[in-house]
């Protein structure tokens, strides 16, 4: 399955009584594999730059050692038009990152868009998982959206950046219009 690109919110940073400090656009990158594994990266980098690192071998090294590219690996399931996926943020307080998506197409049979239904992060007890390679999706199966298993890490339902994902075939990552600078393309409507 090709990588999926999603344009996250443009975050504007303001301080009281001051003008705009910075405006940053982050993208959520997902790559799904037929085996049920997927990769995730949140970045301001262009499609062509991220595509180079979106493979299982690179993600394991970057995730384990807190690499600059911070690519996370997890598991997903596809049932009808619904996708559920999850991975474990490593660290002192393990956190499950869960996402629910709906697969659709802009034309019949295309399956070229994914609507983001929810993103939830929640705490996991140390005894529930052995490490980032474990299938966290099985651990969190059946959890409520506001459920956490670690009182130090509350469940958070993220509400920003819930616009549709756009499929970018891997072989088109270098030439995608989404690599254009702002001067040439100041907006993109995912549809």
């Amino acid at each position: 399955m090709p990588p999926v690109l999603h344009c996250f919110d443009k975050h504007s940073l303001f301080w009281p009584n001051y003008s705009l400090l910075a405006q940053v656009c982050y993208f959520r990158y997902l790559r799904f594999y037929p085996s049920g594994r997927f990769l995730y990266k949140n970045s301001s980098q262009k499609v062509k730059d991220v595509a180079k690192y979106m493979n299982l071998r690179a993600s394991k090294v970057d995730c384990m050692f807190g690499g600059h590219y911070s690519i996370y690996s997890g598991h997903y399931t596809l049932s009808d038009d619904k996708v559920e996926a999850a991975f474990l943020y490593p660290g002192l307080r393990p956190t499950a990152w869960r996402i629910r998506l709906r697969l659709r197409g802009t034309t019949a049979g295309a399956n070229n868009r994914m609507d983001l239904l929810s993103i939830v992060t929640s705490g996991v007890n140390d005894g529930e998982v052995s490490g980032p390679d474990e299938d966290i999706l099985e651990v969190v199966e059946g959890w409520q959206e506001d459920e956490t298993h670690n009182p130090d890490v509350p469940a958070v339902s993220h509400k920003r950046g819930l616009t549709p994902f756009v499929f970018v075939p891997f072989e088109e990552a270098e030439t995608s219009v989404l690599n254009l600078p702002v001067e040439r393309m100041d907006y993109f409507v995912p549809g």
Side-chain angles (χ1 to χ4, degrees):
M1 205 180 239
V4 179
L5 172 74
H6 170 255
C7 183
F8 191 59
D9 298 327
K10 286 186 178 177
H11 295 285
S12 298
L13 306 175
F14 289 95
W15 284 352
N17 303 320
Y18 291 93
S19 62
L20 177 68
L21 292 176
Q23 190 169 31
V24 182
C25 185
Y26 286 93
F27 303 94
R28 294 184 195 275
Y29 293 95
L30 296 168
R31 183 176 183 187
F32 296 92
Y33 290 88
S35 64
R37 301 286 305 263
F38 82 101
L39 301 176
Y40 169 81
K41 177 172 178 47
N42 190 23
S43 173
S44 60
Q45 294 176 302
K46 296 177 182 178
V47 176
K48 65 181 180 181
D49 298 327
V50 173
K52 298 171 190 173
Y53 303 99
M54 293 294 282
N55 63 66
L56 288 171
R57 185 183 56 204
S59 70
K60 187 171 186 175
V61 172
D62 285 331
C63 182
M64 287 178 59
F65 299 105
H68 172 71
Y69 297 102
S70 299
I71 299 170
Y72 298 96
S73 175
H75 293 85
Y76 77 93
T77 60
L78 173 64
S79 178
D80 297 320
D81 65 343
K82 300 290 188 275
V83 177
E84 290 201 32
F87 69 83
L88 183 68
Y89 276 121
L92 295 175
R93 292 183 268 173
T95 303
W97 182 90
R98 300 178 284 158
I99 189 170
R100 290 188 182 99
L101 306 143
R102 181 178 56 94
L103 185 62
R104 66 176 174 87
T106 53
T107 60
N111 291 330
N112 60 353
R113 297 291 188 270
M114 294 181 98
D115 294 321
L116 190 47
L117 303 175
S118 71
I119 297 178
V120 177
T121 52
S122 52
V124 180
N125 282 329
D126 292 333
E128 291 179 297
V129 292
S130 58
D133 285 335
E134 186 172 341
D135 185 355
I136 192 70
L137 194 57
E138 288 181 1
V139 174
V140 299
E141 186 176 9
W143 284 21
Q144 300 299 313
E145 192 163 303
D146 62 350
E147 186 171 347
T148 186
H149 287 207
N150 182 339
D152 294 331
V153 184
V156 177
S157 179
H158 302 273
K159 302 294 184 198
R160 299 190 70 180
L162 298 181
T163 57
F165 284 83
V166 177
F167 284 87
V168 177
F170 224 65
E171 60 275 5
E172 295 175 18
E174 287 286 327
T175 59
S176 172
V177 297
L178 296 171
N179 290 314
L180 292 174
V182 173
E183 304 83 53
R184 297 203 41 220
M185 183 185 71
D186 60 353
Y187 68 91
F188 180 82
V189 180

